[in-house]
Amino acid sequence: MPLERVISPELIDKLTCTRELDLGGMIRNLSLPKTSPIRERSAISSMGRMDILPAELVLFILHLLDFQALSRLLRVSRKAKTTVEALVAYRELREHAPDVLVALGKTRLLPYHSAALLRQTLRANRCVSCLVDFGAFLFLPTCERVCFECLHQNHSLRMTTLSIARECFHLTDSHLKTLPILHSIPGTYGVMFRISRRKVYRLVSVKQVKQLAIDVHGSTENVANLMPTSPPQGMTWRKSCIFKWFHEAPLEPPGCDLSRMPERSNLVEDDFGGMASIRMPCLSGTGADYGRLCKGCRLVNELHSRGLLPADVLEHLVPRGIRPSRPLRALTTRLYSREGFVEHIKTCYGANELITGWETEQME
């Protein structure tokens, strides 16, 4: 894109795709709770033994509490309510990500993450898996930001049932009770693959289960030896593939765009994709940023499907030996921060084509 072209806020909005069709398979449409007033019989308001502590120490302690504890504390007295509501973390989460708190409550994960950790994550912006893209989603069990493509491709970000976790990693119920157990919200979900789940499932994170197995069995080598070289008698092919992928799930961030990596065989669709993730804005000095999808990237994918994408553009976007549909489709679900979007459209072939077309229309 020519450098002299002015990228105005109006142009940015025009290039932003408002129909996020592929991103709707997460937790969504949650009803926000109503706050109830404090009714006190006495004019004296107290927080009990915490009254003897300096205000700065009280606030420090409260930031270490989870939102379930904070919500209970603010109902104790008017002073407790005022103190909790003065917490920066409490104010920011309630104002900018109230649905995240509701999702954590409904999935019974609220007690596992402190107010300080949630605020830290609210103000982060990168995906913890690829370390490159804007992490527009919160992975509830670990309270980490992730991007759509990593949710799809990184098996450590998948969820599994307690029975599969027990069998796959040779764990007991006592072991699994030490992990955050997500109680799913019935509904329709899906990351690249639609699923409908009408009952409540008790699920655990593959990443956390594998780390637990290493702690229980003593080493990564001992855990690897739990995986049989061939499927045991009676085990289905699909189940053996699931076990294989879970054992191979990376505990360290891949640190790259997984859509540009070579495809691996025997991939199995995610049975619970989207059930542990929710859209979460990134909060900065300029406000809350949910991320932007690029219309130009969708045009690029469409032009390729019609055989109209120039060969040099395709060569630039797709590594040699990689099936083009994977990285090109990943472009259509990649969200950018405000600043990242401006930089992206400067070099996006599809965005340049759209702008040129709009400029031509104005001249006619």
PDB file of all heavy atoms in Angstrom, residues 333-364:
ATOM      1  N   THR A 333      -9.863 -15.516  10.384  1.00  0.00           N
ATOM      2  CA  THR A 333     -10.268 -15.544  11.794  1.00  0.00           C
ATOM      3  C   THR A 333      -9.248 -14.839  12.690  1.00  0.00           C
ATOM      4  O   THR A 333      -9.377 -14.888  13.907  1.00  0.00           O
ATOM      5  CB  THR A 333     -10.428 -17.000  12.280  1.00  0.00           C
ATOM      6  OG1 THR A 333      -9.196 -17.705  12.121  1.00  0.00           O
ATOM      7  CG2 THR A 333     -11.535 -17.713  11.512  1.00  0.00           C
ATOM      8  N   ARG A 334      -8.255 -14.197  12.083  1.00  0.00           N
ATOM      9  CA  ARG A 334      -7.200 -13.535  12.865  1.00  0.00           C
ATOM     10  C   ARG A 334      -7.666 -12.138  13.281  1.00  0.00           C
ATOM     11  O   ARG A 334      -7.982 -11.297  12.439  1.00  0.00           O
ATOM     12  CB  ARG A 334      -5.916 -13.465  12.058  1.00  0.00           C
ATOM     13  CG  ARG A 334      -4.751 -12.818  12.789  1.00  0.00           C
ATOM     14  CD  ARG A 334      -3.448 -13.225  12.149  1.00  0.00           C
ATOM     15  NE  ARG A 334      -3.220 -14.647  12.319  1.00  0.00           N
ATOM     16  CZ  ARG A 334      -2.736 -15.455  11.370  1.00  0.00           C
ATOM     17  NH1 ARG A 334      -2.436 -14.962  10.187  1.00  0.00           N
ATOM     18  NH2 ARG A 334      -2.565 -16.745  11.612  1.00  0.00           N
ATOM     19  N   LEU A 335      -7.707 -11.909  14.578  1.00  0.00           N
ATOM     20  CA  LEU A 335      -8.099 -10.613  15.114  1.00  0.00           C
ATOM     21  C   LEU A 335      -6.864  -9.773  15.399  1.00  0.00           C
ATOM     22  O   LEU A 335      -5.831 -10.291  15.834  1.00  0.00           O
ATOM     23  CB  LEU A 335      -8.911 -10.800  16.395  1.00  0.00           C
ATOM     24  CG  LEU A 335     -10.329 -11.351  16.176  1.00  0.00           C
ATOM     25  CD1 LEU A 335     -10.773 -12.176  17.358  1.00  0.00           C
ATOM     26  CD2 LEU A 335     -11.310 -10.213  15.929  1.00  0.00           C
ATOM     27  N   TYR A 336      -6.991  -8.481  15.163  1.00  0.00           N
ATOM     28  CA  TYR A 336      -5.889  -7.551  15.379  1.00  0.00           C
ATOM     29  C   TYR A 336      -6.281  -6.486  16.393  1.00  0.00           C
ATOM     30  O   TYR A 336      -7.442  -6.055  16.439  1.00  0.00           O
ATOM     31  CB  TYR A 336      -5.509  -6.848  14.061  1.00  0.00           C
ATOM     32  CG  TYR A 336      -4.978  -7.774  12.999  1.00  0.00           C
ATOM     33  CD1 TYR A 336      -5.838  -8.379  12.089  1.00  0.00           C
ATOM     34  CD2 TYR A 336      -3.616  -8.041  12.895  1.00  0.00           C
ATOM     35  CE1 TYR A 336      -5.360  -9.226  11.100  1.00  0.00           C
ATOM     36  CE2 TYR A 336      -3.128  -8.886  11.912  1.00  0.00           C
ATOM     37  CZ  TYR A 336      -4.001  -9.478  11.016  1.00  0.00           C
ATOM     38  OH  TYR A 336      -3.524 -10.321  10.042  1.00  0.00           O
ATOM     39  N   SER A 337      -5.316  -6.055  17.178  1.00  0.00           N
ATOM     40  CA  SER A 337      -5.538  -4.906  18.047  1.00  0.00           C
ATOM     41  C   SER A 337      -5.710  -3.658  17.180  1.00  0.00           C
ATOM     42  O   SER A 337      -5.461  -3.688  15.971  1.00  0.00           O
ATOM     43  CB  SER A 337      -4.358  -4.719  18.997  1.00  0.00           C
ATOM     44  OG  SER A 337      -3.192  -4.379  18.261  1.00  0.00           O
ATOM     45  N   ARG A 338      -6.124  -2.551  17.783  1.00  0.00           N
ATOM     46  CA  ARG A 338      -6.274  -1.310  17.008  1.00  0.00           C
ATOM     47  C   ARG A 338      -4.979  -0.961  16.277  1.00  0.00           C
ATOM     48  O   ARG A 338      -4.971  -0.707  15.072  1.00  0.00           O
ATOM     49  CB  ARG A 338      -6.653  -0.152  17.938  1.00  0.00           C
ATOM     50  CG  ARG A 338      -8.041  -0.238  18.548  1.00  0.00           C
ATOM     51  CD  ARG A 338      -8.368   1.059  19.271  1.00  0.00           C
ATOM     52  NE  ARG A 338      -9.584   0.939  20.054  1.00  0.00           N
ATOM     53  CZ  ARG A 338      -9.608   0.602  21.334  1.00  0.00           C
ATOM     54  NH1 ARG A 338      -8.476   0.353  21.968  1.00  0.00           N
ATOM     55  NH2 ARG A 338     -10.742   0.507  21.984  1.00  0.00           N
ATOM     56  N   GLU A 339      -3.873  -0.949  17.031  1.00  0.00           N
ATOM     57  CA  GLU A 339      -2.587  -0.592  16.435  1.00  0.00           C
ATOM     58  C   GLU A 339      -2.136  -1.651  15.428  1.00  0.00           C
ATOM     59  O   GLU A 339      -1.620  -1.319  14.351  1.00  0.00           O
ATOM     60  CB  GLU A 339      -1.530  -0.429  17.526  1.00  0.00           C
ATOM     61  CG  GLU A 339      -1.802   0.691  18.521  1.00  0.00           C
ATOM     62  CD  GLU A 339      -2.835   0.304  19.582  1.00  0.00           C
ATOM     63  OE1 GLU A 339      -3.199  -0.901  19.655  1.00  0.00           O
ATOM     64  OE2 GLU A 339      -3.290   1.189  20.316  1.00  0.00           O
ATOM     65  N   GLY A 340      -2.347  -2.913  15.780  1.00  0.00           N
ATOM     66  CA  GLY A 340      -1.945  -3.985  14.886  1.00  0.00           C
ATOM     67  C   GLY A 340      -2.724  -3.983  13.587  1.00  0.00           C
ATOM     68  O   GLY A 340      -2.188  -4.330  12.524  1.00  0.00           O
ATOM     69  N   PHE A 341      -3.986  -3.570  13.644  1.00  0.00           N
ATOM     70  CA  PHE A 341      -4.824  -3.545  12.447  1.00  0.00           C
ATOM     71  C   PHE A 341      -4.320  -2.487  11.468  1.00  0.00           C
ATOM     72  O   PHE A 341      -4.279  -2.715  10.250  1.00  0.00           O
ATOM     73  CB  PHE A 341      -6.270  -3.266  12.835  1.00  0.00           C
ATOM     74  CG  PHE A 341      -7.261  -3.477  11.723  1.00  0.00           C
ATOM     75  CD1 PHE A 341      -7.569  -4.747  11.281  1.00  0.00           C
ATOM     76  CD2 PHE A 341      -7.870  -2.396  11.111  1.00  0.00           C
ATOM     77  CE1 PHE A 341      -8.476  -4.953  10.249  1.00  0.00           C
ATOM     78  CE2 PHE A 341      -8.786  -2.583  10.087  1.00  0.00           C
ATOM     79  CZ  PHE A 341      -9.082  -3.867   9.657  1.00  0.00           C
ATOM     80  N   VAL A 342      -3.933  -1.338  11.993  1.00  0.00           N
ATOM     81  CA  VAL A 342      -3.407  -0.274  11.134  1.00  0.00           C
ATOM     82  C   VAL A 342      -2.163  -0.751  10.403  1.00  0.00           C
ATOM     83  O   VAL A 342      -2.005  -0.536   9.186  1.00  0.00           O
ATOM     84  CB  VAL A 342      -3.102   0.987  11.960  1.00  0.00           C
ATOM     85  CG1 VAL A 342      -2.369   2.020  11.106  1.00  0.00           C
ATOM     86  CG2 VAL A 342      -4.386   1.587  12.525  1.00  0.00           C
ATOM     87  N   GLU A 343      -1.258  -1.410  11.112  1.00  0.00           N
ATOM     88  CA  GLU A 343      -0.041  -1.919  10.484  1.00  0.00           C
ATOM     89  C   GLU A 343      -0.357  -3.024   9.485  1.00  0.00           C
ATOM     90  O   GLU A 343       0.275  -3.122   8.428  1.00  0.00           O
ATOM     91  CB  GLU A 343       0.933  -2.426  11.554  1.00  0.00           C
ATOM     92  CG  GLU A 343       1.490  -1.330  12.444  1.00  0.00           C
ATOM     93  CD  GLU A 343       2.176  -0.236  11.660  1.00  0.00           C
ATOM     94  OE1 GLU A 343       3.018  -0.572  10.789  1.00  0.00           O
ATOM     95  OE2 GLU A 343       1.878   0.947  11.896  1.00  0.00           O
ATOM     96  N   HIS A 344      -1.339  -3.848   9.809  1.00  0.00           N
ATOM     97  CA  HIS A 344      -1.681  -4.970   8.933  1.00  0.00           C
ATOM     98  C   HIS A 344      -2.208  -4.496   7.589  1.00  0.00           C
ATOM     99  O   HIS A 344      -1.778  -5.005   6.537  1.00  0.00           O
ATOM    100  CB  HIS A 344      -2.713  -5.868   9.608  1.00  0.00           C
ATOM    101  CG  HIS A 344      -3.388  -6.822   8.680  1.00  0.00           C
ATOM    102  ND1 HIS A 344      -2.751  -7.926   8.153  1.00  0.00           N
ATOM    103  CD2 HIS A 344      -4.651  -6.806   8.148  1.00  0.00           C
ATOM    104  CE1 HIS A 344      -3.581  -8.571   7.343  1.00  0.00           C
ATOM    105  NE2 HIS A 344      -4.730  -7.918   7.322  1.00  0.00           N
ATOM    106  N   ILE A 345      -3.138  -3.550   7.606  1.00  0.00           N
ATOM    107  CA  ILE A 345      -3.769  -3.157   6.334  1.00  0.00           C
ATOM    108  C   ILE A 345      -2.801  -2.412   5.415  1.00  0.00           C
ATOM    109  O   ILE A 345      -3.069  -2.276   4.219  1.00  0.00           O
ATOM    110  CB  ILE A 345      -5.040  -2.309   6.572  1.00  0.00           C
ATOM    111  CG1 ILE A 345      -4.716  -1.027   7.344  1.00  0.00           C
ATOM    112  CG2 ILE A 345      -6.095  -3.124   7.297  1.00  0.00           C
ATOM    113  CD1 ILE A 345      -5.949  -0.163   7.605  1.00  0.00           C
ATOM    114  N   LYS A 346      -1.659  -1.963   5.941  1.00  0.00           N
ATOM    115  CA  LYS A 346      -0.658  -1.340   5.084  1.00  0.00           C
ATOM    116  C   LYS A 346      -0.053  -2.341   4.105  1.00  0.00           C
ATOM    117  O   LYS A 346       0.378  -1.972   3.008  1.00  0.00           O
ATOM    118  CB  LYS A 346       0.457  -0.731   5.932  1.00  0.00           C
ATOM    119  CG  LYS A 346       0.053   0.498   6.727  1.00  0.00           C
ATOM    120  CD  LYS A 346       1.218   0.992   7.571  1.00  0.00           C
ATOM    121  CE  LYS A 346       0.831   2.205   8.405  1.00  0.00           C
ATOM    122  NZ  LYS A 346       1.961   2.673   9.268  1.00  0.00           N
ATOM    123  N   THR A 347      -0.029  -3.614   4.488  1.00  0.00           N
ATOM    124  CA  THR A 347       0.604  -4.645   3.654  1.00  0.00           C
ATOM    125  C   THR A 347      -0.365  -5.721   3.182  1.00  0.00           C
ATOM    126  O   THR A 347       0.043  -6.637   2.467  1.00  0.00           O
ATOM    127  CB  THR A 347       1.752  -5.315   4.426  1.00  0.00           C
ATOM    128  OG1 THR A 347       1.239  -5.881   5.635  1.00  0.00           O
ATOM    129  CG2 THR A 347       2.837  -4.303   4.781  1.00  0.00           C
ATOM    130  N   CYS A 348      -1.630  -5.641   3.586  1.00  0.00           N
ATOM    131  CA  CYS A 348      -2.614  -6.671   3.221  1.00  0.00           C
ATOM    132  C   CYS A 348      -3.028  -6.501   1.765  1.00  0.00           C
ATOM    133  O   CYS A 348      -3.559  -5.450   1.378  1.00  0.00           O
ATOM    134  CB  CYS A 348      -3.827  -6.580   4.146  1.00  0.00           C
ATOM    135  SG  CYS A 348      -5.158  -7.729   3.704  1.00  0.00           S
ATOM    136  N   TYR A 349      -2.813  -7.520   0.952  1.00  0.00           N
ATOM    137  CA  TYR A 349      -3.169  -7.460  -0.470  1.00  0.00           C
ATOM    138  C   TYR A 349      -4.663  -7.228  -0.646  1.00  0.00           C
ATOM    139  O   TYR A 349      -5.081  -6.391  -1.460  1.00  0.00           O
ATOM    140  CB  TYR A 349      -2.762  -8.762  -1.167  1.00  0.00           C
ATOM    141  CG  TYR A 349      -3.242  -8.849  -2.597  1.00  0.00           C
ATOM    142  CD1 TYR A 349      -2.541  -8.206  -3.616  1.00  0.00           C
ATOM    143  CD2 TYR A 349      -4.403  -9.567  -2.922  1.00  0.00           C
ATOM    144  CE1 TYR A 349      -2.989  -8.276  -4.937  1.00  0.00           C
ATOM    145  CE2 TYR A 349      -4.845  -9.639  -4.236  1.00  0.00           C
ATOM    146  CZ  TYR A 349      -4.153  -8.991  -5.234  1.00  0.00           C
ATOM    147  OH  TYR A 349      -4.590  -9.051  -6.534  1.00  0.00           O
ATOM    148  N   GLY A 350      -5.476  -7.959   0.120  1.00  0.00           N
ATOM    149  CA  GLY A 350      -6.921  -7.815  -0.017  1.00  0.00           C
ATOM    150  C   GLY A 350      -7.404  -6.431   0.369  1.00  0.00           C
ATOM    151  O   GLY A 350      -8.275  -5.858  -0.300  1.00  0.00           O
ATOM    152  N   ALA A 351      -6.855  -5.875   1.453  1.00  0.00           N
ATOM    153  CA  ALA A 351      -7.245  -4.530   1.877  1.00  0.00           C
ATOM    154  C   ALA A 351      -6.874  -3.508   0.807  1.00  0.00           C
ATOM    155  O   ALA A 351      -7.642  -2.590   0.502  1.00  0.00           O
ATOM    156  CB  ALA A 351      -6.573  -4.185   3.202  1.00  0.00           C
ATOM    157  N   ASN A 352      -5.692  -3.668   0.212  1.00  0.00           N
ATOM    158  CA  ASN A 352      -5.257  -2.760  -0.854  1.00  0.00           C
ATOM    159  C   ASN A 352      -6.184  -2.845  -2.055  1.00  0.00           C
ATOM    160  O   ASN A 352      -6.525  -1.816  -2.672  1.00  0.00           O
ATOM    161  CB  ASN A 352      -3.827  -3.108  -1.271  1.00  0.00           C
ATOM    162  CG  ASN A 352      -3.256  -2.102  -2.253  1.00  0.00           C
ATOM    163  OD1 ASN A 352      -3.382  -0.900  -2.072  1.00  0.00           O
ATOM    164  ND2 ASN A 352      -2.628  -2.613  -3.302  1.00  0.00           N
ATOM    165  N   GLU A 353      -6.627  -4.049  -2.408  1.00  0.00           N
ATOM    166  CA  GLU A 353      -7.547  -4.221  -3.530  1.00  0.00           C
ATOM    167  C   GLU A 353      -8.889  -3.546  -3.239  1.00  0.00           C
ATOM    168  O   GLU A 353      -9.473  -2.891  -4.112  1.00  0.00           O
ATOM    169  CB  GLU A 353      -7.765  -5.706  -3.809  1.00  0.00           C
ATOM    170  CG  GLU A 353      -6.571  -6.391  -4.437  1.00  0.00           C
ATOM    171  CD  GLU A 353      -6.284  -5.885  -5.846  1.00  0.00           C
ATOM    172  OE1 GLU A 353      -7.113  -6.116  -6.739  1.00  0.00           O
ATOM    173  OE2 GLU A 353      -5.233  -5.233  -6.035  1.00  0.00           O
ATOM    174  N   LEU A 354      -9.387  -3.699  -2.015  1.00  0.00           N
ATOM    175  CA  LEU A 354     -10.659  -3.075  -1.662  1.00  0.00           C
ATOM    176  C   LEU A 354     -10.564  -1.551  -1.705  1.00  0.00           C
ATOM    177  O   LEU A 354     -11.449  -0.878  -2.251  1.00  0.00           O
ATOM    178  CB  LEU A 354     -11.083  -3.520  -0.254  1.00  0.00           C
ATOM    179  CG  LEU A 354     -11.554  -4.972  -0.110  1.00  0.00           C
ATOM    180  CD1 LEU A 354     -11.784  -5.319   1.361  1.00  0.00           C
ATOM    181  CD2 LEU A 354     -12.840  -5.204  -0.913  1.00  0.00           C
ATOM    182  N   ILE A 355      -9.497  -1.004  -1.155  1.00  0.00           N
ATOM    183  CA  ILE A 355      -9.329   0.448  -1.133  1.00  0.00           C
ATOM    184  C   ILE A 355      -9.209   0.991  -2.549  1.00  0.00           C
ATOM    185  O   ILE A 355      -9.813   2.019  -2.901  1.00  0.00           O
ATOM    186  CB  ILE A 355      -8.084   0.833  -0.300  1.00  0.00           C
ATOM    187  CG1 ILE A 355      -8.289   0.452   1.166  1.00  0.00           C
ATOM    188  CG2 ILE A 355      -7.811   2.335  -0.406  1.00  0.00           C
ATOM    189  CD1 ILE A 355      -7.051   0.622   2.030  1.00  0.00           C
ATOM    190  N   THR A 356      -8.439   0.296  -3.378  1.00  0.00           N
ATOM    191  CA  THR A 356      -8.302   0.731  -4.780  1.00  0.00           C
ATOM    192  C   THR A 356      -9.650   0.728  -5.481  1.00  0.00           C
ATOM    193  O   THR A 356      -9.978   1.659  -6.239  1.00  0.00           O
ATOM    194  CB  THR A 356      -7.310  -0.190  -5.523  1.00  0.00           C
ATOM    195  OG1 THR A 356      -6.036  -0.144  -4.874  1.00  0.00           O
ATOM    196  CG2 THR A 356      -7.154   0.240  -6.969  1.00  0.00           C
ATOM    197  N   GLY A 357     -10.448  -0.305  -5.217  1.00  0.00           N
ATOM    198  CA  GLY A 357     -11.772  -0.373  -5.815  1.00  0.00           C
ATOM    199  C   GLY A 357     -12.679   0.756  -5.348  1.00  0.00           C
ATOM    200  O   GLY A 357     -13.413   1.355  -6.144  1.00  0.00           O
ATOM    201  N   TRP A 358     -12.614   1.059  -4.055  1.00  0.00           N
ATOM    202  CA  TRP A 358     -13.441   2.151  -3.522  1.00  0.00           C
ATOM    203  C   TRP A 358     -13.011   3.494  -4.092  1.00  0.00           C
ATOM    204  O   TRP A 358     -13.837   4.348  -4.417  1.00  0.00           O
ATOM    205  CB  TRP A 358     -13.346   2.171  -1.984  1.00  0.00           C
ATOM    206  CG  TRP A 358     -13.926   0.957  -1.339  1.00  0.00           C
ATOM    207  CD1 TRP A 358     -14.903   0.147  -1.842  1.00  0.00           C
ATOM    208  CD2 TRP A 358     -13.547   0.381  -0.097  1.00  0.00           C
ATOM    209  NE1 TRP A 358     -15.150  -0.904  -0.989  1.00  0.00           N
ATOM    210  CE2 TRP A 358     -14.340  -0.773   0.103  1.00  0.00           C
ATOM    211  CE3 TRP A 358     -12.603   0.726   0.887  1.00  0.00           C
ATOM    212  CZ2 TRP A 358     -14.230  -1.582   1.236  1.00  0.00           C
ATOM    213  CZ3 TRP A 358     -12.488  -0.064   2.007  1.00  0.00           C
ATOM    214  CH2 TRP A 358     -13.289  -1.205   2.190  1.00  0.00           C
ATOM    215  N   GLU A 359     -11.702   3.684  -4.249  1.00  0.00           N
ATOM    216  CA  GLU A 359     -11.188   4.945  -4.798  1.00  0.00           C
ATOM    217  C   GLU A 359     -11.601   5.090  -6.258  1.00  0.00           C
ATOM    218  O   GLU A 359     -11.924   6.196  -6.719  1.00  0.00           O
ATOM    219  CB  GLU A 359      -9.673   4.989  -4.660  1.00  0.00           C
ATOM    220  CG  GLU A 359      -9.206   5.155  -3.238  1.00  0.00           C
ATOM    221  CD  GLU A 359      -7.698   5.084  -3.098  1.00  0.00           C
ATOM    222  OE1 GLU A 359      -7.023   4.587  -4.051  1.00  0.00           O
ATOM    223  OE2 GLU A 359      -7.178   5.536  -2.070  1.00  0.00           O
ATOM    224  N   THR A 360     -11.601   3.984  -6.979  1.00  0.00           N
ATOM    225  CA  THR A 360     -12.021   4.011  -8.389  1.00  0.00           C
ATOM    226  C   THR A 360     -13.487   4.386  -8.500  1.00  0.00           C
ATOM    227  O   THR A 360     -13.885   5.166  -9.382  1.00  0.00           O
ATOM    228  CB  THR A 360     -11.761   2.657  -9.061  1.00  0.00           C
ATOM    229  OG1 THR A 360     -10.368   2.329  -8.939  1.00  0.00           O
ATOM    230  CG2 THR A 360     -12.174   2.673 -10.519  1.00  0.00           C
ATOM    231  N   GLU A 361     -14.318   3.834  -7.607  1.00  0.00           N
ATOM    232  CA  GLU A 361     -15.751   4.155  -7.619  1.00  0.00           C
ATOM    233  C   GLU A 361     -15.996   5.632  -7.363  1.00  0.00           C
ATOM    234  O   GLU A 361     -16.879   6.244  -7.979  1.00  0.00           O
ATOM    235  CB  GLU A 361     -16.474   3.315  -6.561  1.00  0.00           C
ATOM    236  CG  GLU A 361     -16.548   1.834  -6.891  1.00  0.00           C
ATOM    237  CD  GLU A 361     -17.177   1.042  -5.757  1.00  0.00           C
ATOM    238  OE1 GLU A 361     -17.535   1.672  -4.740  1.00  0.00           O
ATOM    239  OE2 GLU A 361     -17.309  -0.190  -5.911  1.00  0.00           O
ATOM    240  N   GLN A 362     -15.209   6.223  -6.475  1.00  0.00           N
ATOM    241  CA  GLN A 362     -15.382   7.631  -6.151  1.00  0.00           C
ATOM    242  C   GLN A 362     -14.991   8.538  -7.321  1.00  0.00           C
ATOM    243  O   GLN A 362     -15.516   9.633  -7.482  1.00  0.00           O
ATOM    244  CB  GLN A 362     -14.545   7.993  -4.918  1.00  0.00           C
ATOM    245  CG  GLN A 362     -15.058   7.382  -3.626  1.00  0.00           C
ATOM    246  CD  GLN A 362     -14.180   7.716  -2.444  1.00  0.00           C
ATOM    247  OE1 GLN A 362     -13.083   8.247  -2.597  1.00  0.00           O
ATOM    248  NE2 GLN A 362     -14.655   7.400  -1.253  1.00  0.00           N
ATOM    249  N   MET A 363     -14.038   8.077  -8.144  1.00  0.00           N
ATOM    250  CA  MET A 363     -13.568   8.878  -9.267  1.00  0.00           C
ATOM    251  C   MET A 363     -14.524   8.817 -10.440  1.00  0.00           C
ATOM    252  O   MET A 363     -14.499   9.698 -11.326  1.00  0.00           O
ATOM    253  CB  MET A 363     -12.190   8.413  -9.703  1.00  0.00           C
ATOM    254  CG  MET A 363     -11.107   8.640  -8.651  1.00  0.00           C
ATOM    255  SD  MET A 363      -9.510   7.888  -9.121  1.00  0.00           S
ATOM    256  CE  MET A 363      -9.168   8.754 -10.656  1.00  0.00           C
ATOM    257  N   GLU A 364     -15.351   7.784 -10.494  1.00  0.00           N
ATOM    258  CA  GLU A 364     -16.258   7.632 -11.648  1.00  0.00           C
ATOM    259  C   GLU A 364     -17.474   8.527 -11.511  1.00  0.00           C
ATOM    260  O   GLU A 364     -17.899   8.885 -10.440  1.00  0.00           O
ATOM    261  CB  GLU A 364     -16.682   6.157 -11.756  1.00  0.00           C
ATOM    262  CG  GLU A 364     -15.528   5.240 -12.135  1.00  0.00           C
ATOM    263  CD  GLU A 364     -15.950   3.785 -12.159  1.00  0.00           C
ATOM    264  OE1 GLU A 364     -17.092   3.475 -11.725  1.00  0.00           O
ATOM    265  OE2 GLU A 364     -15.165   2.942 -12.636  1.00  0.00           O
TER     266      GLU A 364
END
